[in-house]
């Protein structure tokens, strides 16, 4: 997955430096992976514009979108590392090198790392790159120390990152189940008592829009919504207009607060209410340059609802190495959403009603 990466700065001068830096760039220690780092500028002084990672082995043709990415980000040279046995790494590396050469991108270093040794695909000198590989140890690298000082983190593996947005268990889960049951009961009672379903929908959407804005403001100030408000947000975000309000309010300055809010809700909400929050988490992570977290968040959303359109849209964008700027520049304002979607009506509540008609989690 691609991302802009201009800060912090790490100086990489050897293959060992590269292998020490990659886990901090992607956020975890890769295995069975291909990582491509694209740089712009003079060789040796380039600015990192792109970091992309794929699971190995790859299907032929998977890396074709790199050509458009290299052109869009003005990539002049690159570094690539494949993790795993040669049978899975070499075909992927061959494709990377072919695309780079076709685009006129200089190959600074292309490595394969496996079981504590590395091999170079651009060096065939036996005294520099012996056939049986060169041993390396990232734990003793100065690069690792520099990365840590600059606030970068390398988790042990991808599953550790998955656990960071997994559902919260124990007392938190029990409390959220109770709060969700209360929110569902209140919604059903209100809808049943309403003499005009359209007016009820208008009030529900207005309250939801206000709750989203309040939750974002709370997160910006360093706070956290309580279980009651979190559960009600779960219902609110099931309405597309309310979810899109949160999407349109995401900006670069507020991205950390959005990330914290949607990550928290992705962990706390009951599973059937997760897709909107997880998709908003993915968008926040993507705009902040963390495409691995974005992908994992989308996997959470699609595991609950494989047809959830926002998650599928974002996953398509990530898989095709599109820039978040493409969606950011096309996002309407809240006023434009109002103009395009019109006055709320009872039909807007059908996605939520459909969710509520599903089997409910037992309340504790």
């Amino acid at each position: 997955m691609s991302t802009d990466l201009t800060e912090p700065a790490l100086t990489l001068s050897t293959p060992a430096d590269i292998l020490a830096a990659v886990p901090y760039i992607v956020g975890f220690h890769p295995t069975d992976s291909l990582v491509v780092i694209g740089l712009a500028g003079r060789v040796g002084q380039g600015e990192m514009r792109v970091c992309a990672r794929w699971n190995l082995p790859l299907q032929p043709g998977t890396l074709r979108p790199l050509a458009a990415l290299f052109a869009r980000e003005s990539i002049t040279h690159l570094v690539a590392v494949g993790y795993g046995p040669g049978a899975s790494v070499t075909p992927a590396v061959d494709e990377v090198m072919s695309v780079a050469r076709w685009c006129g991108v200089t190959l600074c270093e292309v490595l394969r790392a496996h079981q504590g040794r590395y091999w170079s695909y651009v060096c065939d000198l036996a005294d520099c790159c012996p056939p049986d590989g060169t041993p390396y140890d990232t734990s003793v690298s100065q690069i690792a120390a520099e990365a840590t000082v600059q606030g970068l983190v390398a988790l042990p593996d991808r599953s550790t990152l998955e656990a960071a947005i997994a559902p919260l268990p124990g007392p938190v889960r029990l409390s959220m189940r109770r709060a969700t049951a209360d929110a569902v009961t209140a919604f059903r009672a209100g809808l049943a008592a309403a003499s005009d379903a359209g007016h009820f929908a208008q009030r529900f959407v207005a309250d939801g829009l206000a709750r989203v804005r309040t939750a974002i403001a709370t997160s910006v100030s360093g706070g956290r919504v309580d279980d009651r408000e979190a559960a009600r947000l779960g219902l609110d975000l099931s309405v597309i207009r309310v979810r899109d309000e949160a999407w349109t309010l995401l900006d670069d300055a507020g991205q950390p607060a959005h990330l914290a809010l949607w990550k928290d809700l992705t962990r706390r909400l009951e599973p059937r209410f997760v897709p909107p929050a997880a998709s908003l988490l993915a968008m926040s992570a993507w705009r902040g340059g963390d495409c691995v977290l974005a992908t994992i968040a989308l996997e959470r959303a699609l595991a609950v609802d494989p047809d959830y359109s926002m998650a599928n849209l974002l996953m398509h964008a990530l898989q095709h190495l599109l820039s978040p700027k493409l969606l950011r520049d096309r996002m309407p304002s809240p006023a434009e959403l109002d103009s395009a979607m019109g006055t709320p009506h009872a039909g807007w509540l059908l996605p939520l009603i459909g969710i509520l008609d599903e089997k409910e989690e037992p309340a504790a």
Side-chain angles (χ1 to χ4, degrees):
M1 304 307 149
S2 66
T3 181
D4 294 338
L5 280 168
T6 57
E7 296 181 3
L10 296 174
T11 301
L12 312 179
S13 56
T14 68
D17 289 344
I18 293 169
L19 293 168
V22 166
Y24 292 91
I25 295 171
V26 300
F28 62 94
H29 290 269
T31 58
D32 298 315
S33 299
L34 173 69
V35 176
V36 175
I37 299 170
L39 303 103
R42 290 164 44 186
V43 174
Q45 299 180 351
E47 176 185 276
M48 183 157 49
R49 293 282 182 84
V50 165
C51 178
R53 190 199 70 86
W54 295 263
N55 292 329
L56 293 178
L58 292 180
Q59 292 294 321
T62 299
L63 303 181
R64 288 173 187 161
L66 277 175
L69 178 65
F70 290 162
R72 187 181 72 232
E73 301 295 339
S74 301
I75 300 304
T76 55
H77 48 295
L78 67 78
V79 171
V81 183
Y83 294 85
S88 61
V89 171
T90 299
V93 163
D94 286 344
E95 191 168 344
V96 168
M97 296 172 72
S98 176
V99 173
R101 287 166 177 153
W102 186 82
C103 295
V105 173
T106 300
L107 298 166
C108 293
E109 185 62 270
V110 182
L111 302 170
R112 178 171 75 89
H114 187 52
Q115 297 180 342
R117 307 182 80 84
Y118 70 81
W119 294 258
S120 174
Y121 288 91
V122 297
C123 175
D124 55 6
L125 300 177
D127 57 343
C128 175
C129 301
D132 59 350
T134 302
Y136 72 98
D137 183 357
T138 60
S139 66
V140 299
S141 169
Q142 180 63 30
I143 294 295
E146 292 177 8
T148 301
V149 167
Q150 296 188 56
L152 297 176
V153 176
L155 298 175
D157 49 35
R158 192 177 190 271
S159 62
T160 305
L161 187 56
E162 292 171 352
I165 63 168
L168 290 171
V172 174
R173 178 58 45 217
L174 295 176
S175 179
M176 280 301 301
R177 283 180 180 169
R178 295 188 188 102
T180 302
D182 290 344
V184 170
T185 298
F187 171 81
R188 284 179 164 156
L191 182 59
S195 59
D196 187 321
H199 288 164
F200 176 83
Q202 291 175 30
R203 291 196 305 273
F204 183 87
V205 170
D207 289 346
L209 295 176
R211 198 161 13 252
V212 163
R213 288 179 175 270
T214 299
I216 293 171
T218 298
S219 189
V220 168
S221 66
R224 182 173 183 255
V225 297
D226 62 25
D227 289 348
R228 178 175 175 272
E229 288 300 290
R232 293 178 70 181
L233 279 166
L235 273 65
D236 295 333
L237 293 168
S238 300
V239 177
I240 292 174
R241 174 63 184 86
V242 178
R243 180 206 67 192
D244 285 356
E245 180 84 358
W247 196 353
T248 62
L249 293 174
L250 175 60
D251 57 28
D252 292 338
Q255 184 270 337
H258 278 259
L259 188 72
L261 171 62
W262 307 125
K263 180 178 180 180
D264 181 43
L265 289 181
T266 296
R267 304 202 71 187
R268 290 165 67 193
L269 291 176
E270 291 294 276
R272 56 191 168 144
F273 296 106
V274 161
S279 298
L280 290 166
L281 169 60
M283 187 65 192
S284 301
W286 188 28
R287 285 189 59 160
D290 192 342
C291 294
V292 176
L293 177 59
T295 301
I296 291 172
L298 294 175
E299 289 171 353
R300 279 286 314 277
L302 294 172
V304 176
D305 183 359
D307 297 321
Y308 194 67
S309 59
M310 182 181 179
N312 279 302
L313 170 68
L314 294 177
M315 186 67 87
H316 177 84
L318 284 165
Q319 289 174 341
H320 286 78
L321 303 178
L322 301 182
S323 168
K325 295 178 183 178
L326 297 177
L327 288 181
R328 180 180 64 200
D329 295 343
R330 288 169 169 77
M331 283 304 298
S333 67
E336 289 170 334
L337 283 177
D338 285 338
S339 177
M341 299 184 71
T343 303
H345 55 79
W348 286 21
L349 302 180
L350 291 178
L352 172 56
I353 293 170
I355 291 172
L356 299 184
D357 286 342
E358 298 172 1
K359 183 178 180 180
E360 297 184 37
E361 299 83 357

